[in-house]
Amino acid sequence: MSTPYPFTAVVGQDDLRLALLLNAVSPAVGGVLVRGEKGTAKSTAVRALSALLPEVEVVVGCRFSCAPGAPDPACPDGPHETGPGSSRPARVVELPVGASEDRLVGALDIERALAEGVKAFEPGLLADANRGVLYVDEVNLLHDHLVDLLLDAAAMGSSYVEREGVSVRHAARFLLVGTMNPEEGELRPQLLDRFGLTVEVAASREPDLRVEVVRRRLAYDDDPAAFAARWADEENALRARVVAARALLPEVRLGDAALRQIAATCAAFEVDGMRADIVMARTATALAAWAGRTVVLAEDVRQAALLALPHRRRRNPFDAPGLDEEKLDDTLEEFGGGDDTPEDDPDPDGPGGGGQPPQDGPEGPQDGPVDAAEAPARPEEPAQPEEGQGGRPAGSGEQSAVRAAEPFRTKMLSVPGLGEGAAGRRSRARTDHGRTTGSRRPRGALTKLHLAATVQAAAPHQRARGRSGRGLVVRRDDLRQATREGREGNLVLFVVDASGSMAARQRMSAVKGAVLSLLLDAYQRRDKVGLITFRGKDATVALPPTSSVDAAAVRLETLPTGGRTPLSAGLLKAHDVLRVERMRDPARRPLLVVVTDGRATGGPDPVALGTRAARLHAAEGTASVVVDCESGPVRLGLAGALAGELGGTAVTLDELRADSIAGLVRDVQGASGAHRRVA
């Protein structure tokens, strides 16, 4: 077994370390979501936490980690008698992004269940994580059906496995810890709210700290055991402090003044539901215990708010997480009357004072040193170009970026036919989840039994197999896998006209609002998105295909306009991007969304070039839709003609709205002429 990187050697990520330690002190806090760029020691810190957790008392031989003093009466390995058990280290169980449902919740032996009538159950990761930590790296990339199972288990503290009338239930109480890179997409709001705390991490830009990162990582890689031994005293001291804080936790008093501050803060930041209040109360209590106090102070409430509220105040995926600290301080001051003060408050500079963990230097990253060239800068507000007369930038023919109009709910655009891509919520597809449409012989392990088809296959052979009792004699060849139809996520590639013909500020604002609305729809339907813009003489890939729709929204917001309309360049660039994506992920079907008024200017015969480029997409059967941005009393219908060449369909900005009366039924067509309703 490899030696883990010591937790106390991970320094420089104060909020991350504190959030993990608070959960070690009080698992009721509800877990941690760690957001940050690659190479910032997210996974290293989480894996190192297991060495600091107190040992767990379990019933000997129980695969579900029942407590000896209060065993689960419904445990599949039970019933257990109360009595002495055995101790083992707390587990940090990792859930891979590509795990199957059976690996997460466990698997039933369907053949034995049918033939022998026994519940032969093989526990999954939820059982392994009971009374421990369930760690999901890249949690934002987890498939929707696994997210649903996690939500159910986290809400009920139990895992239910239901398979064709055979059911198993077992306890599944775990500390949920997830790490993610926001560049790869955001989490569903339901799962986001299940994490008690959230922290943002980033690599330090201080050269001295980065040097120490490299030094420690190289020392660890050269001799992990010797490196861990050098930090053994610090690890033991921190472990002892966790144990002491756990013992003190029941004595911590959460006074009415602190409760008023918690309630007022949650109300001021307009968080949904009551979970935030409860998490803040538990976090503030854990902070007091961690500091060696028995009374919760205003400083504990403030720190709890900074950890528990940022991810709960987001209203859509394009909102950056965070908290207005000035507003927080004003709220705490307004409702801070009558703070409880402990009589024997320890020295704030001593070992028990303050909520931060010990500081020892920079963090040790998981996969080697963080290189400054590899660390992406955080997106900032675009610098507005200096304007000349008429609102145009001085010395340039382009206009500065305009803000997008308010997004709206759009009609659903889907790809025709039946796909087999990643699970999502857009187009029809053969999936592991959805309505049952038929059966087939299983390829590999049986995952979804089609009971009627299995019985039908086994019934003719009962006499030959010597059946004498009531039980059905079932063999492996009789088993049938259910085929199901659900929805898949697609690659939605936006090709946006940013030329001079679109440059009217009111029009471009409406266009950006429409694209932003489609991006929000893509987020909800679990699509990948890409963004291509064309203006002047060429087209640019503003955002390569990614799961991060908020990154696409940032690129869209800063998009300038002006110049000629190289329509063919935009379509050809889209053709190149789709060709590469088909090689990377052939199962994910694309949907091309061209946002333009249909005009083509610049170069020799631009209209003919645009037509030929459109026919390339039609020849490959790419499903497409043209969002017609033409306005005014006189309309040329060029966007409709472009849609015809693409083999797709055209919708106006008004028809794109889900609540519009115009265009209640529209089709997104592939080159084969297949139709799908847009409604």
Side-chain angles (χ1 to χ4, degrees), residues 43-56:
S43 300
T44 299
V46 174
R47 294 188 177 104
L49 178 67
S50 61
L52 303 178
L53 298 176
E55 291 191 335
V56 179

Side-chain angles (χ1 to χ4, degrees), residues 395-446:
S396 172
E398 73 176 32
Q399 292 188 3
S400 59
V402 299
R403 296 190 65 83
E406 191 69 22
F408 52 85
R409 189 167 64 90
T410 67
K411 289 185 171 67
M412 191 179 85
L413 310 176
S414 60
V415 178
L418 194 63
E420 294 183 345
R425 298 180 178 179
R426 185 172 297 278
S427 304
R428 293 175 54 226
R430 299 182 186 91
T431 61
D432 291 334
H433 299 267
R435 63 186 182 89
T436 301
T437 58
S439 65
R440 60 172 173 80
R441 290 181 181 273
R443 302 172 193 143
L446 179 71

Side-chain angles (χ1 to χ4, degrees), residues 204-252:
S204 172
R205 299 298 185 255
E206 292 293 330
D208 290 343
L209 292 180
R210 298 176 73 93
V211 166
E212 187 63 22
V213 168
V214 177
R215 181 180 292 120
R216 292 194 181 191
R217 185 67 203 196
L218 293 179
Y220 172 76
D221 290 341
D222 287 343
D223 192 342
F227 183 83
R230 290 204 301 271
W231 291 92
D233 291 342
E234 287 83 352
E235 290 282 288
N236 291 332
L238 192 58
R239 188 181 301 109
R241 186 176 175 186
V242 170
V243 172
R246 276 197 173 192
L248 183 62
L249 187 65
E251 303 175 21
V252 176

Side-chain angles (χ1 to χ4, degrees), residues 53-68:
L53 298 176
E55 291 191 335
V56 179
E57 290 285 332
V58 297
V59 173
V60 178
C62 178
R63 297 174 297 170
F64 302 89
S65 302
C66 283

Side-chain angles (χ1 to χ4, degrees), residues 373-398:
E374 294 179 355
R378 294 184 178 274
E380 298 179 354
E381 286 293 322
Q384 295 294 330
E386 186 177 343
E387 291 191 356
Q389 293 182 351
R392 293 175 179 270
S396 172
E398 73 176 32

Side-chain angles (χ1 to χ4, degrees), residues 461-482:
H461 308 291
Q462 296 305 295
R463 181 173 297 179
R465 294 173 182 173
R467 172 185 168 185
S468 58
R470 299 178 60 185
L472 188 68
V473 181
V474 179
R475 294 182 179 171
R476 174 69 186 175
D477 290 344
D478 302 326
L479 299 179
R480 294 294 183 267
Q481 175 84 22

